[in-house]
């Protein structure tokens, strides 16, 4: 698929402000400084659609963007150490509230840093998505920082940590645009899911002339 539209819609500070759209809503989540804004800008083909901050933990709202065929929700980064327990609890509740309406979420891209083992918070996030049967794809960001051999080794390590197949993880780089086609393919399947024949339905048989 090709994305031709991407623009900011609004920010939400709590569940009473969350959007309920007719279009599919695709969320992006990950710990602070994992590269969510850069990932969104790569999807949009724009450098400044989502603001990239040099200071982790700055995104404290759910930011919504209109991507034409779908709505993208940028969730607050989790796991930043230099915030109060009260602030961490507030962020956790916001994520809980957002994911509570599972019917309003078509897919989630769960981001992790390819250079490091998934953190306890990363594992908790993916475990939450598994447990609640929320469809998601793991994206390992900043792949331009590693060689091909290092990338392959890191993907195997991340897959072991998440208890999934290495092929289930997309290695991505906002610098080289690596992984963009794979991400767009996932989005295409989310927006236009393949038709599934009903169980027991059989093709008509042409018996010819009697």
């Amino acid at each position: 698929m090709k994305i031709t539209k991407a623009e900011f819609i609004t920010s939400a500070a709590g569940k009473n402000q969350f959007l309920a759209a007719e279009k599919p809503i695709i969320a992006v989540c990950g710990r602070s400084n994992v590269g969510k804004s850069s990932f969104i800008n790569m999807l949009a083909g724009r450098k400044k659609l989502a603001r990239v901050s040099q200071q982790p933990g700055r995104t404290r709202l759910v930011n919504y963007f209109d991507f034409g065929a779908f709505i993208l929700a940028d969730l607050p980064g989790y796991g930043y150490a230099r915030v109060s327990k009260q602030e961490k609890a507030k962020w956790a509740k916001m994520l809980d509230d957002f994911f509570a309406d599972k019917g309003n979420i078509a897919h989630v891209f769960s981001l992790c840093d390819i250079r490091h083992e998934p953190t306890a918070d990363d594992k908790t996030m993916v475990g939450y998505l598994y447990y609640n049967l929320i469809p998601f794809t793991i994206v390992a960001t900043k792949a331009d920082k590693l060689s091909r051999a290092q990338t392959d080794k890191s993907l195997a390590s991340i897959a072991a940590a998440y208890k999934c197949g290495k092929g289930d993880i997309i290695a991505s780089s906002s610098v080289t645009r690596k992984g963009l086609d794979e991400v767009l393919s996932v989005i295409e399947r989310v927006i236009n899911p393949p038709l599934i024949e009903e169980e027991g339905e059989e093709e008509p048989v042409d018996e010819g002339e009697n």
Side-chain angles (χ1 to χ4, degrees), residues 15 32 69 129 139 180 182 198:
K15 61 182 179 180
S32 297
L129 296 172
V139 177
L180 177 58
E182 291 94 325
E198 293 185 9

Side-chain angles (χ1 to χ4, degrees), residues 109-140:
F109 286 108
S110 182
L111 275 52
C112 65
D113 190 326
I114 198 170
R115 301 170 298 175
H116 308 294
E117 287 277 343
T119 66
D121 289 322
D122 289 330
K123 294 176 184 177
T124 297
M125 184 75 255
V126 167
Y128 180 94
L129 296 172
Y130 268 126
Y131 181 81
N132 288 283
L133 303 178
I134 299 170
F136 69 95
T137 300
I138 297 169
V139 177

